[in-house]
Amino acid sequence: MEVFNALMPLFTEYGYIAVFVMLLICGFGVPVPEDVTLLTGGVIAGLGHADVHTMFAVGMAGVLIGDGTMFILGRVYGQRVQRLPGFRKVLTPERYASAQDAFHKYGRWVMFVARFLPGLRTPVFFFAGMSHRVSFATWLLMDGVAALISVPIWVYLGYFGAQNWDWMFSMLHRFQHGILGLLAIGLGWLLWRWWRKRQQQRSLS
């Protein structure tokens, strides 16, 4: 709620450009909730300060360019970026190890899942680029499909809830819990497949 209240006057005054820049900042790992940013963009559209369909397009552009920038930075500059003061707290060795482990277990699907997990998204996309094992086209497909799910949910929820914030925030929490539940089921299934594959490989060796 505090983030929402802080973003509302900023987005109302500066519109699409403020939403776009804030989403880029989210993509760089700054701890600003992306869902609340998109929700706030939808609210100002619902209040008549912007067009909701244009806001959806701006939201898609902001999240994909922000995520893509981290992927390309990892691909081109790798550890040189990782050592910079501004990125050192986000791209830690521990997160690098976690990202490697996630790629090993879940493959490219980890990039789809990462879109819904703010603390994981930036390191996963950066290390995906840094590994040189993921093509830009594969990254764009996985992140793009995930963004086509998440971005319209938050933007249009804000639009339809602009006149009833209590209902809007109640639905925000329900959607968040629902998405996390679905992700947990999906990850469980992928982990089961990974375990079965390892068991089969051991039986053949």
Side-chain angles (χ1 to χ4, degrees), residues 83-103:
R83 291 193 291 265
L84 293 175
F87 291 96
R88 199 175 294 160
K89 292 183 179 180
V90 177
L91 306 172
T92 63
E94 293 78 14
R95 287 182 174 175
Y96 180 48
S98 297
Q100 283 186 315
D101 184 56
F103 270 107

Side-chain angles (χ1 to χ4, degrees), residues 105 187-204:
K105 289 180 179 178
L187 285 174
W189 179 72
L190 289 171
L191 186 59
W192 177 79
R193 284 189 59 189
W194 171 78
W195 179 81
R196 283 289 302 273
K197 187 176 180 181
R198 287 198 64 182
Q199 292 296 107
Q200 290 173 354
Q201 289 174 343
R202 287 177 179 176
S203 64
L204 294 173

Side-chain angles (χ1 to χ4, degrees), residues 1-175:
M1 190 69 176
E2 292 180 4
V3 175
F4 174 78
N5 289 332
L7 293 178
M8 271 295 293
L10 181 67
F11 287 4
T12 300
E13 183 171 357
Y14 296 105
Y16 304 119
I17 187 65
V19 176
F20 179 78
V21 170
M22 189 58 64
L23 289 170
L24 287 183
I25 292 173
C26 293
F28 294 154
V30 176
V32 177
E34 186 180 277
D35 50 3
V36 177
T37 301
L38 292 165
L39 183 82
T40 309
V43 169
I44 68 168
L47 295 176
H49 301 293
D51 175 74
V52 67
H53 305 306
T54 304
M55 186 61 71
F56 162 64
V58 170
M60 286 294 297
V63 299
L64 290 178
I65 292 174
D67 293 346
T69 300
M70 293 308 302
F71 180 87
I72 292 170
L73 284 175
R75 174 64 58 88
V76 176
Y77 297 105
Q79 292 183 348
R80 284 176 287 176
V81 173
Q82 195 177 356
R83 291 193 291 265
L84 293 175
F87 291 96
R88 199 175 294 160
K89 292 183 179 180
V90 177
L91 306 172
T92 63
E94 293 78 14
R95 287 182 174 175
Y96 180 48
S98 297
Q100 283 186 315
D101 184 56
F103 270 107
H104 181 62
K105 289 180 179 178
Y106 308 118
R108 64 183 182 180
W109 284 101
V110 73
M111 292 183 292
F112 176 89
V113 174
R115 162 118 300 281
F116 303 96
L117 301 174
L120 185 64
R121 184 171 63 246
T122 299
V124 162
F125 294 153
F126 179 84
F127 294 130
M130 185 175 167
S131 71
H132 290 270
R133 292 189 299 171
V134 179
S135 69
F136 182 82
T138 299
W139 166 80
L140 183 61
L141 174 64
M142 303 307 291
D143 192 41
V145 171
L148 282 171
I149 296 172
S150 64
V151 173
I153 287 176
W154 306 130
V155 170
Y156 287 100
L157 176 61
Y159 176 75
F160 289 112
Q163 305 295 338
N164 188 343
W165 291 3
D166 290 336
W167 172 84
M168 181 182 70
F169 281 110
S170 174
M171 292 301 296
L172 171 68
H173 296 313
R174 290 184 184 181
F175 277 129

